[in-house]
Amino acid sequence: MSERDYTLEPDSELRFEVEGKKEVVVLNLLKGKAEIFGTEITPEKPYSFHSGAKVAVFTWHGCSIKLKGNTEGTYIAKETPMVMYLNTHACLERLRKQADEGLAKGEEARGPVTMIVGPTDVGKSTLCRILLNYAVRMQRRPLFVDLDIGQGAIAIPGSIGAVLVERAASIDEGFSQEAPLVYNFGHIAPNSNMTLYNILVSRMAQTVQEKIVSNRKVAASGVVINTCGWVKDDGYRSLTHVAQSFEVDIIIVLDQERLYNELVQDIPFIKVVFLPKSGGVVERTRAMRISARDDRIRDYFYGIKTKYHPHSFDVRLNSVQIYKIGAPALPDSCMPADMKMDDHMTKLVKIDPSGKLQHHMLAVTLTTDPEDLLATNVAGFICVVDVDEEAGTMKVLSPQPKPLPDTILILTEVQYMDSN
Ligand code: ADP
């Protein structure tokens, strides 16, 4: 196993990737101070990184690091946008202070609601993480809203979520996922059902607003919103919908000047800021994206360090109510005259449980009334491992022990094959 020490000058970062299956790379900070995406590294503590990890160890004042294990694409970069990201944090912090002062005087003040936009693979999630980490390191309690259904950092791909960030992200496990608020969308691209996506975004914005009103510390800290990398046509319109629903104060555009200019022109009343992407952000191929989604669902059930033990049990097919949101699109000529496209996309379709459910993720809702399905957040997700139509049962993988709660399940298009 290879082992190597690296000395970093102030304002530089060591970038590396872990490639091969089952490969583990262990990092130790030997001297100085360093951080990974805004989380400080504890000296002499070993940190493990597994296959698929793409890491940047940044230092403001210089440090030395030991890496044990086989890394790929390892180099020290002297050019990073970190100073600009830190300045952005400082601006947000000024707005939080103002909000604090306003709230202390009994005014209806609120910390900045910041939205990060840009095409895929420009480091949107990473910048969210950096800004949130810097905020909690200043004793703030911001909300993180993830609307990027392609990756689904909170819960699973195909869902949108929000969590209160009370601690810096753990280096290997990210932000703590205690009590997340999750809405199920059920597809990995918003254009699969734009109507539903926008409904869920509005719903999420309303709930976040309620949280802000109810907690002064959160109100002063504000919100950081991650968005999808689809920035053209309907994707663009959906970004403007997010900005309106959340009453966003600042939009940070990563990397794409065209998008920046469009937003400046179209929403002149919101501050739009352009920031460059980091040269370290790794572009992912379609295959890598699919594999990252699989890993995310695996982590949902088993935990990042396989520290959870999901439950596997049989459920009687006639004991569950399963719905799907959105009917297959009909050509305009076949639509009843009084029916709009939107109605189709939000139509609730009852599903007869069958072998077709195999490998699909099902959202476990909190309601028994189909009328509530569009607006309800979900308790979690289960995966249909196998269906035995003859026996009238399906085997599911679930984070919770049996029985399933007596609520409606929503069929999603997201699939997962459990190989553990
Ligand atoms: P996006 O949200 O825009 O799709 P991400 O923030 O998920 O992009 O970044 C893509 C990948 O690049 C992630 O795996 C992340 O860990 C990695 N990455 C981000 N910034 C850096 C950097 N400075 N050096 C190395 N890898 C990075």
Side-chain angles (χ1 to χ4, degrees):
M1 192 199 294
S2 71
E3 185 175 315
R4 214 182 135 179
D5 291 357
Y6 297 86
T7 302
L8 275 72
E9 286 170 20
D11 235 344
S12 64
E13 73 185 17
L14 172 70
R15 295 170 182 161
F16 64 89
E17 293 177 44
V18 187
E19 288 271 291
K21 282 257 171 247
K22 304 227 183 290
E23 201 69 62
V24 181
V25 172
V26 181
L27 175 150
N28 267 285
L29 174 64
L30 305 174
K31 213 164 78 194
K33 282 186 173 182
E35 56 185 48
I36 295 181
F37 305 138
T39 306
E40 281 178 297
I41 305 179
T42 309
E44 297 299 336
K45 179 178 161 180
Y47 292 95
S48 307
F49 297 92
H50 298 261
S51 172
K54 297 167 185 30
V55 188
V57 189
F58 178 82
T59 179
W60 292 105
H61 304 291
C63 70
S64 36
I65 295 161
K66 183 185 284 300
L67 285 186
K68 262 190 234 165
N70 299 319
T71 58
E72 304 263 330
T74 316
Y75 64 101
I76 294 175
K78 296 202 170 121
E79 298 273 319
T80 79
M82 286 301 282
V83 172
M84 281 181 260
Y85 295 175
L86 183 67
N87 285 339
T88 309
H89 158 72
C91 294
L92 298 179
E93 196 46 36
R94 266 199 296 282
L95 295 171
R96 292 184 186 117
K97 272 209 185 98
Q98 278 173 17
D100 246 347
E101 286 160 12
L103 287 163
K105 286 188 227 149
E107 291 165 10
E108 221 178 85
R110 188 194 70 180
V113 176
T114 312
M115 169 178 166
I116 321 272
V117 305
T120 41
D121 298 338
V122 289
K124 294 183 297 301
S125 321
T126 307
L127 180 58
C128 287
R129 182 161 166 168
I130 293 172
L131 293 176
L132 289 161
N133 275 334
Y134 285 174
V136 273
R137 281 167 64 181
M138 305 288 289
Q139 317 307 322
R140 302 290 179 189
R141 296 290 175 268
L143 283 166
F144 172 39
V145 175
D146 189 14
L147 304 177
D148 184 2
I149 45 171
Q151 297 299 318
I154 302 169
I156 62 161
S159 67
I160 60 173
V163 275
L164 177 63
V165 181
E166 300 193 87
R167 260 163 282 139
S170 129
I171 302 262
D172 34 17
E173 293 181 64
F175 290 112
S176 158
Q177 302 258 329
E178 270 162 48
L181 174 75
V182 178
Y183 289 94
N184 167 59
F185 175 60
H187 312 266
I188 47 159
N191 55 346
S192 298
N193 190 340
M194 216 62 229
T195 314
L196 178 62
Y197 185 74
N198 288 338
I199 290 176
L200 295 178
V201 165
S202 303
R203 186 78 194 100
M204 172 69 92
Q206 203 183 336
T207 319
V208 162
Q209 179 57 24
E210 286 159 13
K211 179 79 189 163
I212 287 177
V213 172
S214 70
N215 185 324
R216 204 180 121 176
K217 185 134 194 154
V218 177
S221 302
V223 185
V224 175
I225 306 170
N226 190 26
T227 57
C228 292
W230 184 34
V231 296
K232 281 197 191 145
D233 309 322
D234 273 353
Y236 176 78
R237 279 186 282 284
S238 147
L239 289 180
T240 57
H241 172 74
V242 174
Q244 277 169 1
S245 310
F246 282 86
E247 296 179 23
V248 163
D249 302 296
I250 298 157
I251 302 180
I252 298 177
V253 185
L254 274 179
D255 193 48
Q256 208 186 73
E257 283 187 47
R258 205 193 70 193
L259 177 61
Y260 166 77
N261 283 316
E262 273 177 319
L263 287 166
V264 169
Q265 273 170 24
D266 291 347
I267 1 188
F269 45 90
I270 299 182
K271 187 161 177 53
V272 186
V273 181
F274 178 84
L275 286 177
K277 76 168 183 181
S278 164
V281 179
V282 184
E283 267 192 43
R284 285 171 283 202
T285 58
R286 206 177 108 80
M288 281 157 92
R289 239 180 269 281
I290 292 171
S291 145
R293 276 198 280 273
D294 266 351
D295 289 349
R296 182 66 211 115
I297 301 177
R298 193 205 155 274
D299 292 347
Y300 175 78
F301 286 117
Y302 293 92
I304 290 182
K305 292 186 197 153
T306 318
K307 64 179 182 188
Y308 305 144
H309 301 284
H311 303 263
S312 174
F313 50 88
D314 283 341
V315 177
R316 292 210 61 75
L317 294 178
N318 60 10
S319 71
V320 287
Q321 270 201 80
I322 306 178
Y323 279 82
K324 178 172 163 283
I325 302 176
L330 287 177
D332 280 351
S333 55
C334 302
M335 289 248 258
D338 57 347
M339 192 160 190
K340 294 198 295 289
M341 191 60 190
D342 279 2
D343 297 337
H344 244 294
M345 301 320 271
T346 54
K347 196 170 170 197
L348 304 173
V349 185
K350 193 150 198 260
I351 302 285
D352 274 333
S354 71
K356 287 192 189 148
L357 293 180
Q358 194 182 18
H359 304 315
H360 279 266
M361 298 293 290
L362 305 177
V364 181
T365 69
L366 299 165
T367 181
T368 50
D369 184 355
E371 291 295 307
D372 293 339
L373 283 187
L374 285 182
T376 183
N377 56 316
V378 297
F381 295 87
I382 57 173
C383 176
V384 181
V385 180
D386 201 6
V387 182
D388 185 340
E389 288 187 21
E390 250 170 52
T393 57
M394 63 177 178
K395 186 169 171 203
V396 301
L397 189 67
S398 158
Q400 297 291 330
K402 64 180 179 182
L404 284 181
D406 184 19
T407 54
I408 296 177
L409 304 172
I410 309 178
L411 173 63
T412 79
E413 267 186 10
V414 183
Q415 297 194 32
Y416 174 68
M417 261 195 249
D418 188 35
S419 54
N420 282 78

